[in-house]
Amino acid sequence: MRVLVIGATGLIGSHVLQALRAAGVSAAGASRRRPAGELPQDWLALDFGGMAASAQWLPLLQGYDAVVNSVGIIRERCQGDFDRLHRAAPVALFAACEQLGLRVIQVSALGSHPQAATAYWRSKGAADTDLLARQIDATVVRPSLVYGQNGASSMLFRTLATLPLLLLPAAHRARVQPVHVADLAAIVVGLLTRRTNPAALGDARLPATPASPAPFAAPAELAMLATAVSPVVTSSSTAAPAEPAMPAIPVAPPATPYSTATPVDLATPAIPVAPSAKPYSTATPAAPEMRTTPAPRFATPYPTAALSEPRTPVIPVAPSATPDSTATPADPEMRTTPASPFATPYPTAALVEPGTPAIPIAPSATPNASAGPAEPAMLAIPVAPSTTLYSPAISVSPSPTPYSSEMAAEPVTSPMAVAPAPLAATATPVAPEMLPRELAVVGPRAMTLADYLGDLRRGMQAPAALVWSLPSPVARLAAHLAALSPSAALTPASLLMLEQSVDGSNTADPAPAQSLLGRPLRDPAGFAGPADRLAASWSWGAPLLTITIALMWLITAWVSWFGWPHAESRSWLAACGVPTALQEPMLLAASLTDAAIGALLLWRPRRWLWAAQLVLVGGYTAMLSVCLPGFWLHPFGPLTKNLPLLALMLVMWRASPPHPPKPGE
């Protein structure tokens, strides 16, 4: 199987791609740009939003068996982005997959619907509806709030969890059900790779068989038909075989709770067939005595009847007569029926299909039979797609005496399960599991936002905090103001989705997802750890420090020029040896420099800016220490306070990223 993961640089897509490769699946990614370290043959560079026609997708999907669409945005940068990325491009992709017969996994969102309250949900729901209406093997996966180590929302919530005071909309009313991204990725892998036993699905022709320890999968069990010769010998049988015996069909051993016979060798069970005198013999062979054992309901893999030879169940078959023989059998009551491993017998016609191999057998004869044997009847043994090694079956052996105590009092039909044989029939391929068309992937429990933040806080061992609910009118105003920032998580749309979750409609039963996962879902309480505390605190600490230091520079600039007497400032400059003519210009330059640094810190802080501040403050401190050493003894500590500032600027210089983040990142 080869799988294409679209949106493979996002949180969900990247984890799905890694999980597929870890599971041994050949998987390629697709995004706008190929990440470093990815081979060209394992990545498609494409503009997803611009591919709104199926013809654009058809050449790109050649050679793939399945597609995972994990493209999604939470905010529009341009008007129409939701429709372009969530509906138009996916619909074109689905149409191409339908033409090529590819399986599709659509990663949608819990709450998506064509008539939902927000454009985000509506655009996702429109694509889901289109996919489900197509004749295509597909599953729509609707995850709840997804969290992961590097997820944007996860980092935001960890940051909020370390704050001492929080004001959040519907903090104690809105319910979420966070699911770990690794669980979501594993479920997607399961949807692509999982297969089941056909007996679990049922079969159009045969009833489901009981579950058995091991399937017919190894080449040894699917070997060609075994050949065995076991001539039927009775007191009246004198004919000797003239040609090699017919090939026998391997049969799995039967089972019964009261078995006393030796188990049949599972590796080479066979049904020996008596040899015919000649292919077109006209001689009338001696009719062997035939008995059949009753068909019990099986419980253990051991035969009921005694075996004619050790470890070899046999069905006695009389030599064939001439093809044009018209004699009727002396004993019309002897019958055999096709094999079936089921408790309830089924008619032959319902089980045998065209192409089923048949074994010619002669009808039984009574002691007073005088007529010659009739044309051999054809015992059709249906070869079902057996998937179990220990299929229930019945072993039949010739009767040692007419009144053997090991035989049934009356002839009874003997159901018989036959393993698939390449020479006789082609086994039906294993059908894919009846996987869901829609699946809500949620965490193990629903909780409020305050509860979720509390779990994260306890995991990080952060100090306790207060979480208050923001009144709805204030929350709406805050959402409109926050929406002015392209990177803000709080918008009128996100606030509406949060309010829609108050009634619990945005939660779901975790059992289906957990069943497919095959293990318990991760609980959010174990997500964050003490090592996350520093990074989470720095997430809001660094911006806070940047803003406060910027305000310090701006306030200093204003005070130096407008608030503090110029005469006193000039006296300090004179004490440092600055000529009188340069004192006012130098005072103005110092004020403008302070203002520029503050403005740059607020507009876009850069790493070099922290180094410049370090040099400037260090220079001020050194100059005043020489010219005005009395400032070290000032009760307000004008020079003493520079020491922590210098240390802070040093840390910010070394900890800042080389390039400032762009809006929306």
Side-chain angles (χ1 to χ4, degrees):
M1 173 185 289
R2 184 156 174 82
V3 181
L4 178 64
V5 180
I6 304 175
T9 54
L11 174 68
I12 297 175
S14 61
H15 279 79
V16 169
L17 183 62
Q18 293 171 13
L20 284 168
R21 290 173 175 175
V25 177
S26 175
S31 63
R32 187 182 295 272
R33 288 177 293 274
R34 177 167 59 91
E38 288 287 348
L39 299 176
Q41 62 267 28
D42 290 334
W43 205 271
L44 292 180
L46 51 84
D47 179 12
F48 184 75
M51 304 186 67
S54 61
Q56 295 174 279
W57 286 105
L58 288 173
L60 299 178
L61 298 178
Q62 298 296 328
Y64 291 96
D65 303 294
V67 173
V68 178
N69 177 33
S70 62
V71 175
I73 57 172
I74 196 65
R75 282 194 64 177
E76 288 183 312
R77 292 188 180 181
C78 301
Q79 185 68 27
D81 279 353
F82 279 146
D83 184 74
R84 189 167 55 91
L85 295 172
H86 290 172
R87 186 200 61 81
V91 165
L93 171 65
F94 302 156
C97 290
E98 185 178 29
Q99 293 182 50
L100 297 175
L102 308 187
R103 174 155 174 73
V104 176
I105 303 294
Q106 158 78 344
V107 181
S108 186
L110 201 62
S112 61
H113 191 275
Q115 282 79 46
T118 67
Y120 170 81
W121 274 339
R122 286 194 298 271
S123 59
K124 284 283 190 180
D128 299 348
T129 301
D130 176 87
L131 178 61
L132 295 174
R134 294 182 180 274
Q135 298 299 315
I136 188 171
D137 183 12
T139 299
V140 174
V141 175
R142 295 192 177 96
S144 178
L145 175 65
V146 180
Y147 65 93
Q149 192 62 33
N150 299 319
S153 64
S154 303
M155 291 188 286
L156 172 62
F157 280 111
R158 286 200 302 266
T159 298
L160 294 176
T162 57
L163 288 170
L165 175 64
L166 278 173
L167 294 173
L168 296 176
H172 296 278
R173 296 184 299 119
R175 300 183 67 78
V176 294
Q177 202 164 351
V179 61
H180 197 283
V181 66
D183 289 345
L184 174 58
I187 288 170
V188 171
V189 172
L191 288 170
L192 288 170
T193 61
R194 189 160 176 175
R195 293 292 184 269
T196 191
N197 188 317
L201 302 177
D203 187 89
R205 296 173 294 106
L206 300 174
T209 58
S212 301
F216 275 106
E221 282 95 6
L222 296 180
M224 297 177 62
L225 292 174
T227 59
V229 179
S230 179
V232 179
V233 180
T234 64
S235 57
S236 58
S237 176
T238 58
E243 293 191 9
M246 297 172 60
I249 299 178
V251 181
T256 175
Y258 304 105
S259 171
T260 56
T262 304
V264 177
D265 188 347
L266 300 179
T268 57
I271 301 177
V273 181
S276 61
K278 280 189 178 182
Y280 302 99
S281 172
T282 57
T284 303
E289 294 182 348
M290 300 182 66
R291 296 291 188 272
T292 57
T293 58
R297 297 176 182 266
F298 308 108
T300 59
Y302 298 101
T304 301
L307 305 181
S308 60
E309 294 181 8
R311 308 171 62 85
T312 307
V314 296
I315 294 180
V317 181
S320 61
T322 57
D324 14 342
S325 172
T326 56
T328 56
D331 185 359
E333 295 183 357
M334 188 63 183
R335 298 286 190 273
T336 58
T337 59
S340 171
F342 315 114
T344 305
Y346 289 83
T348 301
L351 297 178
V352 180
E353 294 186 350
T356 302
I359 299 177
I361 62 170
S364 63
T366 61
N368 300 322
S370 56
E375 181 175 349
M378 301 299 291
L379 170 62
I381 303 181
V383 181
S386 172
T387 59
T388 59
L389 182 59
Y390 301 107
S391 300
I394 287 183
S395 173
V396 183
S397 64
S399 173
T401 62
Y403 302 100
S404 171
S405 60
E406 296 190 23
M407 297 295 108
E410 297 179 0
V412 182
T413 60
S414 303
M416 185 164 41
V418 182
L423 292 180
T426 301
T428 304
V430 176
E433 186 172 358
M434 300 299 290
L435 298 172
R437 295 277 284 173
E438 300 177 75
L439 179 66
V441 179
V442 296
R445 57 192 175 93
M447 62 191 73
T448 64
L449 278 179
D451 293 335
Y452 181 40
L453 293 172
D455 284 341
L456 297 177
R457 188 181 303 111
R458 286 185 291 273
M460 292 185 291
Q461 299 179 7
L466 295 175
V467 181
W468 294 341
S469 292
L470 200 63
S472 295
V474 179
R476 294 189 184 98
L477 176 61
H480 281 89
L481 294 175
L484 299 176
S485 170
S487 59
L490 181 62
T491 63
S494 62
L495 178 61
L496 181 57
M497 288 192 287
L498 198 60
E499 291 174 343
Q500 293 274 316
S501 304
V502 169
D503 60 358
S505 59
N506 217 20
T507 60
D509 180 11
Q514 181 164 304
S515 175
L516 189 59
L517 183 62
R519 59 169 173 78
L521 293 157
R522 288 175 171 87
D523 195 287
F527 170 53
D532 298 314
R533 185 177 62 250
L534 180 59
S537 301
W538 186 254
S539 296
W540 57 265
L544 180 61
L545 290 172
T546 301
I547 293 172
T548 54
I549 293 178
L551 292 176
M552 180 196 72
W553 288 110
L554 293 174
I555 293 172
T556 301
W558 185 89
V559 169
S560 298
W561 189 253
F562 298 104
W564 194 258
H566 283 210
E568 189 167 353
S569 297
R570 287 196 299 270
S571 67
W572 293 342
L573 293 174
C576 293
V578 177
T580 304
L582 298 178
Q583 290 175 2
E584 281 294 322
M586 184 171 285
L587 184 60
L588 178 60
S591 297
L592 291 176
T593 301
D594 292 351
I597 292 174
L600 286 173
L601 285 174
L602 290 178
W603 177 48
R604 185 170 293 182
R606 297 178 181 270
R607 178 183 287 177
W608 65 264
L609 193 55
W610 293 106
Q613 294 175 77
L614 192 63
V615 171
L616 187 60
V617 173
Y620 282 165
T621 303
M623 184 181 67
L624 292 176
S625 296
V626 173
C627 302
L628 298 167
F631 278 6
W632 285 104
L633 303 176
H634 196 285
F636 290 166
L639 291 182
T640 307
K641 292 175 181 177
N642 283 352
L643 296 178
L645 282 176
L646 289 169
L648 182 59
M649 291 171 181
L650 176 62
V651 171
M652 295 295 290
W653 173 38
R654 305 310 297 175
S656 297
H659 303 288
K662 296 179 180 180
E665 292 183 344

